[in-house]
């Protein structure tokens, strides 16, 4: 029992140590960029309302997601492929398996990013439905939208979205080694699109999601809140009719209609179950 507990603490510590330097770097970079290119005037990100809540999400949600991801991968290997035992699991996942594992690691990483973004586009649209919105409303609740708002997701939203998609692709044969590249890329990309920047990316707005593109998604439904569901590649919004980027106009108000939405981390986790 003590060995298992030590392993959990060790994994948790390693995860936090990975997140911390990335967080410091992102905080410095976006503080400087926002000083010159803010989309919306206001306080710097470290003085935003509910900063403590966002910091809790930033560190605790990735930690929980990692444990759930590992658990699902272990169960998936056992029930789908009959693989059990620590050594066998490590050997099974180490370099991936099947046709996808035959690809160079960079090609596996690219496949992972593109396919996961396509799947998450539809998952994202699903969470805007009436039955799932109460979970996704947590993410849209931030009125002071900034890079650190990127991790404000209810655990149910993360587990039924990103975590399941990640596990599905890894169980399909892609090597977990791609996460060494994909993990930092996803963190930086998500922080970038939530940053308080006035960047439309010009002609590249049709290729890569940028801050203005995603900030429109965080506005009211009658403005851009029912558009721009893609996390990385706007091609999905272009293909399925949900792309919205008005010319010479910037989004300026964010949040949800529920004015009684709680401000604290714990209360927000309970919010979907109290409706």
């Amino acid at each position: 029992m003590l060995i298992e507990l030590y392993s959990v603490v060790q994994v948790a510590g390693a995860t936090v140590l990975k997140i911390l330097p990335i967080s410091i770097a992102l905080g410095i970079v976006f503080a400087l960029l926002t000083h010159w290119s803010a989309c919306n005037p206001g306080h710097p990100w470290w003085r935003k309302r509910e900063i403590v809540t966002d910091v809790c999400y930033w560190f605790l949600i990735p930690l929980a997601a990692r444990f759930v991801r590992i658990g699902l991968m272990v169960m998936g290997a056992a029930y789908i492929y009959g693989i059990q035992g620590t050594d066998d699991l490590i050997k099974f996942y180490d370099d991936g398996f099947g046709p996808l594992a035959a690809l160079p690691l960079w090609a596996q990483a690219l496949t992972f990013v593109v396919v996961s973004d396509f799947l998450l586009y539809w998952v994202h649209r699903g969470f805007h439905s009436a039955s799932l919105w109460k979970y996704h409303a947590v993410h849209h609740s931030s009125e002071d939208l900034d890079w650190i708002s990127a991790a404000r997701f209810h655990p149910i939203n993360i587990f039924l979205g990103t975590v399941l998609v990640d596990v599905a692709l890894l169980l399909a044969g892609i090597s977990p080694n791609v996460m060494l590249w994909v993990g930092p890329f996803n963190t930086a990309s998500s922080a970038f699109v939530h940053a308080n920047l006035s960047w439309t990316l010009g002609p590249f707005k049709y290729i890569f999601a940028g801050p203005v593109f995603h900030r429109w998604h965080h506005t009211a439904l009658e403005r851009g809140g029912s558009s721009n569901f893609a996390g990385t590649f706007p091609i999905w919004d272009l293909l399925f009719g949900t792309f919205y980027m008005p010319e010479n106009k910037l989004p300026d108000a964010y949040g949800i209609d529920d004015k009684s939405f709680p401000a604290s981390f714990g209360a927000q986790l309970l919010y979907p179950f109290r409706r």
Side-chain angles (χ1 to χ4, degrees), residues 97 100 111-117 119 163-175:
F97 56 91
L100 289 174
T111 300
F112 190 103
V113 169
V114 173
V115 175
S116 64
D117 197 55
L119 295 176
V163 171
L164 278 185
V165 169
D166 288 352
V167 171
L169 291 173
L170 295 175
L171 286 174
I174 292 179
S175 171

Side-chain angles (χ1 to χ4, degrees), residues 6-89:
Y6 174 74
S7 298
V8 170
V9 173
Q10 192 176 36
V11 171
T15 302
V16 171
L17 288 176
K18 287 180 180 178
I19 297 173
L20 189 58
I22 295 175
S23 304
I24 293 173
L26 290 174
I28 294 172
V29 168
F30 288 120
L32 293 173
L33 293 177
T34 302
H35 179 73
W36 290 301
S37 303
C39 179
N40 309 116
H43 298 300
W45 67 263
W46 60 87
R47 292 178 56 195
K48 63 172 292 192
R49 289 171 290 181
E50 304 174 11
I51 183 61
V52 174
T53 297
D54 281 335
V55 168
C56 288
Y57 277 108
W58 187 262
F59 285 96
L60 296 180
I61 294 303
L63 184 61
R66 184 174 184 183
F67 282 113
V68 174
R69 187 183 293 109
I70 292 172
L72 290 176
M73 288 173 64
V74 170
M75 290 189 293
Y79 287 103
I80 298 174
Y81 300 105
I83 307 296
Q84 298 181 14
T86 303
D87 292 338
D88 290 337
L89 283 168

Side-chain angles (χ1 to χ4, degrees), residues 120-137:
L120 287 172
Y121 168 86
W122 291 105
V123 170
H124 193 173
R125 289 187 66 167
F127 269 99
H128 275 254
S129 65
S131 59
L132 293 175
W133 171 251
K134 59 186 178 182
Y135 302 106
H136 193 58

Side-chain angles (χ1 to χ4, degrees), residues 2-268:
L2 290 176
I3 295 176
E4 286 79 4
L5 181 60
Y6 174 74
S7 298
V8 170
V9 173
Q10 192 176 36
V11 171
T15 302
V16 171
L17 288 176
K18 287 180 180 178
I19 297 173
L20 189 58
I22 295 175
S23 304
I24 293 173
L26 290 174
I28 294 172
V29 168
F30 288 120
L32 293 173
L33 293 177
T34 302
H35 179 73
W36 290 301
S37 303
C39 179
N40 309 116
H43 298 300
W45 67 263
W46 60 87
R47 292 178 56 195
K48 63 172 292 192
R49 289 171 290 181
E50 304 174 11
I51 183 61
V52 174
T53 297
D54 281 335
V55 168
C56 288
Y57 277 108
W58 187 262
F59 285 96
L60 296 180
I61 294 303
L63 184 61
R66 184 174 184 183
F67 282 113
V68 174
R69 187 183 293 109
I70 292 172
L72 290 176
M73 288 173 64
V74 170
M75 290 189 293
Y79 287 103
I80 298 174
Y81 300 105
I83 307 296
Q84 298 181 14
T86 303
D87 292 338
D88 290 337
L89 283 168
I90 292 174
K91 183 179 179 181
F92 177 70
Y93 279 118
D94 195 27
D95 295 313
F97 56 91
L100 289 174
L103 297 172
L105 196 59
W106 66 266
Q108 291 186 53
L110 182 60
T111 300
F112 190 103
V113 169
V114 173
V115 175
S116 64
D117 197 55
F118 173 74
L119 295 176
L120 287 172
Y121 168 86
W122 291 105
V123 170
H124 193 173
R125 289 187 66 167
F127 269 99
H128 275 254
S129 65
S131 59
L132 293 175
W133 171 251
K134 59 186 178 182
Y135 302 106
H136 193 58
V138 171
H139 182 62
H140 280 259
S141 65
S142 182
E143 296 180 358
D144 297 330
L145 191 65
D146 216 318
W147 71 272
I148 201 168
S149 307
R152 187 187 286 208
F153 279 101
H154 194 276
I156 298 297
N157 196 158
I158 287 292
F159 298 159
L160 296 181
T162 305
V163 171
L164 278 185
V165 169
D166 288 352
V167 171
L169 291 173
L170 295 175
L171 286 174
I174 292 179
S175 171
N177 291 325
V178 303
M179 300 307 292
L180 296 174
W181 300 353
V182 173
F185 170 78
N186 284 342
T187 299
S189 175
S190 185
F192 174 64
V193 300
H194 288 89
N196 182 20
L197 296 173
S198 59
W199 296 4
T200 63
L201 303 189
F204 295 102
K205 66 184 178 183
Y206 302 112
I207 302 174
F208 298 109
V212 171
F213 169 85
H214 192 70
R215 291 174 80 82
W216 277 116
H217 176 73
H218 278 264
T219 61
L221 291 177
E222 64 272 13
R223 300 182 73 195
S226 58
S227 304
N228 301 356
F229 294 97
T232 305
F233 304 115
I235 183 65
W236 314 127
D237 288 289
L238 289 166
L239 288 175
F240 302 111
T242 53
F243 185 90
Y244 180 74
M245 283 277 280
E247 293 290 336
N248 302 317
K249 190 175 182 182
L250 295 174
D252 54 11
Y254 315 97
I256 59 176
D257 292 335
D258 187 354
K259 301 306 178 185
S260 64
F261 191 87
S264 69
F265 176 71
Q268 289 185 10

